[in-house]
Amino acid sequence: MFPSPIPPPTDFLTLELSAKLKQRTEGLLTRLIKTNLHTRYVQESAIFSGFLRAIESSGDAANDARCGEVLDETLLEAYRTTIPLTTYDSYEPFVTKFLEQPCKHDEVRDLFAPGLPYYIATSSATSANSTKIFAKYKHPPDTSLPDSDHGVKACSVYSLTYRQVVEVQGPDAETLARLPVCLSSTGIARMRNNMDIEKDSSMIKLTMPSATSPVAVSHIRNYRTFLLMHAFFALADASLQVIHAPFVTMFLDLVRYMEDEWEILVDNIEKGELPDYKGLDHVREYLEPKIHPNPSRATELRTIGIATDDPGWLMKIWPELKVVVSVASGIFATAVPKMRHYLGPDVLIHGRGYTASECRVGTVYDRYNLNLFKATHDDIVEYLDVSLEETAASLVSAWNIVAGRKYEVVVTTRDGMWRYRLGDIVEIAGFDPCDGTPVLKFVERRNVAIRLPGSMTSEKQLADAIFATQDTLGQVVEFTVVVTDQVMPRRFAYLVEVQGTVGPAADLACGKLREALCLSNQGVRDSLEKGILGHPTIQILRPGTFSEFRKWKVELTNTGAGQTKVPTVLWDPAAQEWIFERVIQEV
């Protein structure tokens, strides 16, 4: 189940590895171009006009099926020289056709890739004002999906709920397809397990092999109840070996709710009864037959008791627990120490890979390094040098990137996105010495920043500054930043949850925060000296605020549990008001 450590990435590509990487990348790109060339997006969007003219002007030879090599070179050259960088603005007018009423088959067939998508993915809207949607197609064999656990007992905390169903209608208004609009993690789980929404009525009665939770638990919409029921079934099984959660913050929410409801959960395990939580009515008939009295397990749990202050509490509950698999890189790394406290030193924490709503960027390179990813072999990743002008001319191919440098990720996908700016900044950690594939470290979101007159502060600078206060403030579990302007000059207000109580020297934290911001950002330093920017503040939130924030956002947006994240910079006025009401201390 757990692979052996692998060789570290190499800093340089040999000529042989470079040639292999180029051949593999160009072969994949050629296949993607040929597959999606005749989609409506390519044929109708203005951004492809130069691309289509270049192909057309290449002459008959380029279009002769007998001249495959010429055709491939023509397509690659046209792609490189005419396809601009794209954003959601060029994609949106086409993808929103799926939400039109009625949704006509002739309008959405072959829209971005051949046929119809398997589902419509919704973004988490963490760094945008509104949710984005993406058409996601099934591509057998789909090598981007994660490996299974090969029969080990696992608690997989994934939602199968969807926001709505798009009914694609034929010429006589007959329904030709039903597409769920859901989180990407939900769509991947459904696609991986062949859980078409037409099968829900039969599959909701099942428990998947080696799973602790029945399938019906994943159909619970209420965020708190969803996590509590996963905890309920996991607590009843002492043989649990693996826990899967989309993000480490969701794992921590599950543990917090489990602690809050400990006595109720244990009592119901003893009696073999379903806990009476909000949002269970529609799945009650499927869950109750799965529950049986288990007084011996309840006795074990009562003996262990709530011991969240003791390192390794969860190992006492599940002695066979080996690993928790979750996204723990980037901003989520702040939650890893608290996660480690609950798990103790012997349970491994493994990453899930590098996945966005748009596509899977990379797979885990080394499971023992939470921020090391091997670039995808299913889609094309190009690299936009962050030191150069933000145009397609600044794109660097995989075999020409340099270890140690930072690039923005740009993707061309099987799902019909072309040179799409993902907005993520990565550092090149090196190359896989076996096949030359780039190995990436996530750094930050490029568009998550605070831009004020005289300064621009990046996500990484904001995060590094609050981390620098931990020796005085205490262990930071989660945080967000609000730019306050109720009193001028405007300033950065950090809203923070800490593990346990604040440190005894917390009154020094704001000074350390200011010093760290000034060291990393000359613009902030100048703005502070000129009085354009006020001194940053730190406000402590009551425990559990961010888990309640995720619950509030899930209910507000009608999205499933899975991808709701706390943004590094919180701009939404309603969210700001909500979170400031939960401040318990200013330091």
Side-chain angles (χ1 to χ4, degrees):
M1 182 173 62
F2 310 126
S4 302
I6 61 174
T10 180
D11 290 338
F12 302 99
L13 285 172
T14 64
L15 290 177
E16 181 183 6
L17 285 177
S18 179
K20 286 183 177 179
L21 177 59
K22 181 178 180 181
Q23 181 181 24
R24 185 172 65 244
T25 303
E26 290 190 335
L28 172 59
L29 179 56
T30 302
R31 291 195 298 275
L32 291 184
I33 293 172
K34 289 179 178 178
T35 300
N36 294 337
L37 176 61
H38 298 290
T39 61
R40 292 190 60 180
Y41 182 42
V42 173
Q43 296 297 315
E44 297 177 15
S45 174
I47 66 170
F48 296 102
S49 57
F51 176 63
L52 296 175
R53 284 197 301 271
I55 295 173
E56 185 178 352
S57 64
S58 64
D60 292 336
N63 296 295
D64 190 335
R66 294 169 297 175
C67 302
E69 292 183 6
V70 177
L71 176 59
D72 291 354
E73 286 302 318
T74 299
L75 291 175
L76 291 172
E77 180 64 18
Y79 174 91
R80 294 189 186 104
T81 57
T82 67
I83 301 292
L85 297 176
T86 67
T87 63
Y88 193 70
D89 288 343
S90 65
Y91 182 82
E92 183 178 26
F94 291 85
V95 76
T96 52
K97 291 179 182 292
F98 287 106
L99 302 185
E100 293 177 357
Q101 294 295 325
C103 177
K104 295 292 189 182
H105 184 253
D106 288 345
E107 291 293 316
V108 296
R109 179 187 58 193
D110 304 334
L111 196 56
F112 299 104
L116 293 173
Y118 185 84
Y119 67 97
I120 308 297
T122 61
S123 70
S124 62
T126 304
S127 55
N129 293 326
S130 59
T131 298
K132 298 175 182 177
I133 63 171
F134 304 96
K136 307 294 287 185
Y137 297 76
K138 196 168 188 177
H139 308 280
D142 197 333
T143 59
S144 70
L145 298 177
D147 295 333
S148 68
D149 293 309
H150 305 295
V152 301
K153 186 56 67 79
C155 173
S156 296
V157 189
Y158 289 96
S159 172
L160 294 176
T161 64
Y162 40 83
R163 192 178 74 183
Q164 67 186 88
V165 174
V166 171
E167 294 196 350
V168 181
Q169 294 186 1
D172 298 321
E174 73 277 23
T175 299
L176 300 181
R178 301 176 75 241
L179 313 176
V181 180
C182 58
L183 297 176
S184 203
S185 57
T186 299
I188 289 173
R190 283 183 170 276
M191 194 155 53
R192 180 184 185 187
N193 294 290
N194 293 314
M195 289 184 169
D196 303 351
I197 58 173
E198 287 78 14
K199 300 177 182 176
D200 281 355
S201 60
S202 58
M203 298 202 74
I204 199 171
K205 305 172 185 177
L206 305 178
T207 300
M208 302 299 284
S210 302
T212 54
S213 299
V215 171
V217 173
S218 293
H219 287 270
I220 298 171
R221 288 189 173 275
N222 182 283
Y223 181 72
R224 191 172 192 272
T225 301
F226 166 79
L227 292 180
L228 278 169
M229 291 311 300
H230 275 296
F232 172 73
F233 283 99
L235 280 173
D237 195 333
S239 66
L240 179 67
Q241 294 173 273
V242 178
I243 298 175
H244 290 273
F247 300 103
V248 295
T249 48
M250 178 179 278
F251 171 83
L252 293 179
D253 290 349
L254 182 147
V255 175
R256 177 178 292 280
Y257 292 152
M258 187 173 75
E259 179 186 3
D260 291 344
E261 298 288 321
W262 179 261
E263 292 183 6
I264 292 174
L265 293 171
V266 173
D267 285 348
N268 281 270
I269 288 171
E270 179 179 43
K271 298 173 185 175
E273 298 177 355
L274 185 69
D276 188 19
Y277 292 131
K278 181 180 178 182
L280 284 176
D281 289 346
H282 68 298
V283 294
R284 185 176 297 277
E285 65 179 295
Y286 309 113
L287 293 178
E288 286 181 337
K290 307 287 186 179
I291 304 169
H292 307 285
N294 195 343
S296 61
R297 178 58 176 163
T299 299
E300 290 176 4
L301 294 171
R302 289 195 181 99
T303 301
I304 296 166
I306 301 174
T308 50
D309 292 337
D310 299 336
W313 178 50
L314 298 184
M315 270 300 294
K316 299 175 185 177
I317 295 172
W318 297 296
E320 296 185 37
L321 184 62
K322 300 293 192 300
V323 62
V324 176
V325 184
S326 190
V327 173
S329 57
I331 205 67
F332 294 104
T334 61
V336 171
K338 186 170 185 178
M339 189 178 184
R340 172 57 62 205
H341 170 82
Y342 286 136
L343 295 172
D346 297 328
V347 179
L348 301 176
I349 302 173
H350 286 173
R352 286 207 58 78
Y354 182 175
T355 304
S357 297
E358 293 87 341
C359 70
R360 189 173 180 87
V361 180
T363 57
V364 172
Y365 180 72
D366 182 349
R367 285 188 176 272
Y368 299 92
N369 187 320
L370 297 175
N371 192 23
L372 213 55
F373 309 101
K374 184 174 179 176
T376 179
H377 286 173
D378 296 313
D379 299 307
I380 293 295
V381 178
E382 293 179 279
Y383 302 86
L384 181 63
D385 192 323
V386 297
S387 66
L388 301 178
E389 185 180 2
E390 297 177 33
T391 67
S394 301
L395 285 170
V396 182
S397 297
W399 57 91
N400 288 323
I401 56 178
V402 178
R405 287 191 184 175
K406 294 183 176 65
Y407 301 86
E408 179 184 345
V409 173
V410 175
V411 295
T412 297
T413 72
R414 295 171 298 168
D415 293 316
M417 310 194 87
W418 294 64
R419 284 192 160 177
Y420 183 90
R421 296 185 65 174
L422 207 57
D424 288 358
I425 304 297
V426 298
E427 180 182 331
I428 307 305
F431 305 89
D432 185 336
C434 298
D435 62 11
T437 303
V439 179
L440 319 174
K441 292 180 181 178
F442 178 84
V443 177
E444 62 183 333
R445 293 283 295 167
R446 188 168 196 167
N447 60 350
V448 179
I450 298 176
R451 292 176 174 83
L452 297 174
S455 68
M456 193 281 283
T457 313
S458 72
E459 179 184 52
K460 189 173 188 303
Q461 290 169 340
L462 291 168
D464 287 348
I466 194 63
F467 298 158
T469 70
Q470 293 187 106
D471 60 338
T472 56
L473 184 63
Q475 179 67 55
V476 174
V477 178
E478 291 187 74
F479 77 94
T480 191
V481 181
V482 173
V483 179
T484 63
D485 54 9
Q486 292 87 351
V487 178
M488 298 302 288
R490 61 184 60 178
R491 64 192 68 229
F492 300 161
Y494 278 77
L495 295 112
V496 177
E497 265 193 68
V498 297
Q499 183 171 331
T501 58
V502 297
D507 56 328
L508 302 176
C510 285
K512 298 199 77 167
L513 177 66
R514 182 174 64 251
E515 180 183 1
L517 285 169
C518 290
L519 284 174
S520 66
N521 193 310
Q522 184 63 43
V524 169
R525 184 175 201 153
D526 293 343
S527 295
L528 283 167
E529 290 176 352
K530 295 175 183 178
I532 299 172
L533 189 65
H535 293 297
T537 63
I538 300 174
Q539 299 179 60
I540 306 299
L541 298 166
R542 73 185 185 208
T545 292
F546 286 118
S547 64
E548 290 305 302
F549 179 87
R550 284 183 281 275
K551 176 178 179 292
W552 176 67
K553 287 292 287 184
V554 167
E555 293 172 353
L556 190 69
T557 59
N558 191 31
T559 57
Q563 289 174 219
T564 301
K565 295 169 271 188
V566 178
T568 302
V569 183
L570 193 63
W571 295 108
D572 177 35
Q576 290 178 1
E577 180 181 358
W578 186 96
I579 207 161
F580 273 114
E581 290 175 352
R582 287 151 178 83
V583 172
I584 59 173
Q585 180 184 351
E586 184 165 345
V587 300

